Amino acid sequence: MYIEYKTDRAITPDEFIDLLQRSTLAERRPVHDPLRIEKMLAHGNILITAWEGDLLVGVSRALSDFSFCCYLSDLAVDEAYQKAGIGKELIRRTHVAAGEEQVMLILLAAPKAVNYYPKIGMEQFKDCFVVRRKG
């Protein structure tokens, strides 16, 4: 398996939805609303993709100010490719793209992934607060 990581390749809403469905993230993303997915892709400012040939197998989509913080909103890896280090590498490359020396990388873990992040060296932070979306 040879995985190629790209920072300069845009993906379509259909490609993103397909990957979300092949990962566990589709359960918590608006995959039945392509316009909303399109907006998510258009307004994130860091997109790192992982490919095996022409198959999209991983995505990291983040929002950053490139000086203080970066919110990693979506980390999706095709279930058939999980446990191969792809997620860890997508996170690393996202942090580098955001400016790892000065930027804190932040994410909200999906329930099924809570135990994953400490295993790859991320610190769990208990003092997080959210205002839930209304729709």
Side-chain angles (χ1 to χ4, degrees), residues 42-134:
H43 296 292
N45 56 7
I46 297 175
L47 183 71
I48 313 287
T49 55
W51 302 83
E52 183 176 41
D54 290 331
L55 180 64
L56 178 64
V57 298
V59 166
S60 171
R61 187 184 73 84
L63 300 99
S64 182
D65 60 16
F66 301 99
S67 62
F68 187 72
C69 64
C70 176
Y71 173 58
L72 201 169
S73 179
D74 301 306
L75 180 68
V77 176
D78 183 324
E79 285 189 279
Y81 289 80
Q82 291 178 4
K83 300 186 185 200
I86 295 169
K88 183 176 182 178
E89 183 63 12
L90 286 166
I91 292 169
R92 186 191 74 75
R93 288 173 182 253
T94 299
H95 201 190
V96 168
E100 67 183 330
E101 293 297 321
Q102 295 182 330
V103 174
M104 179 183 294
L105 185 71
I106 303 160
L107 66 80
L108 297 174
K112 290 182 179 178
V114 168
N115 295 323
Y116 168 71
Y117 297 105
K119 290 178 186 175
I120 63 166
M122 293 184 78
E123 177 185 352
Q124 189 167 5
F125 191 76
K126 66 176 183 157
D127 300 325
C128 175
F129 302 90
V130 299
V131 176
R132 299 276 178 191
R133 66 184 67 84
K134 294 179 183 178

Side-chain angles (χ1 to χ4, degrees), residues 26-45:
E27 300 166 10
R28 290 165 307 287
R29 294 298 180 271
V31 295
H32 300 295
D33 188 348
L35 182 57
R36 195 165 175 194
I37 294 288
E38 183 178 354
K39 287 179 182 178
M40 289 167 60
L41 289 170
H43 296 292
N45 56 7

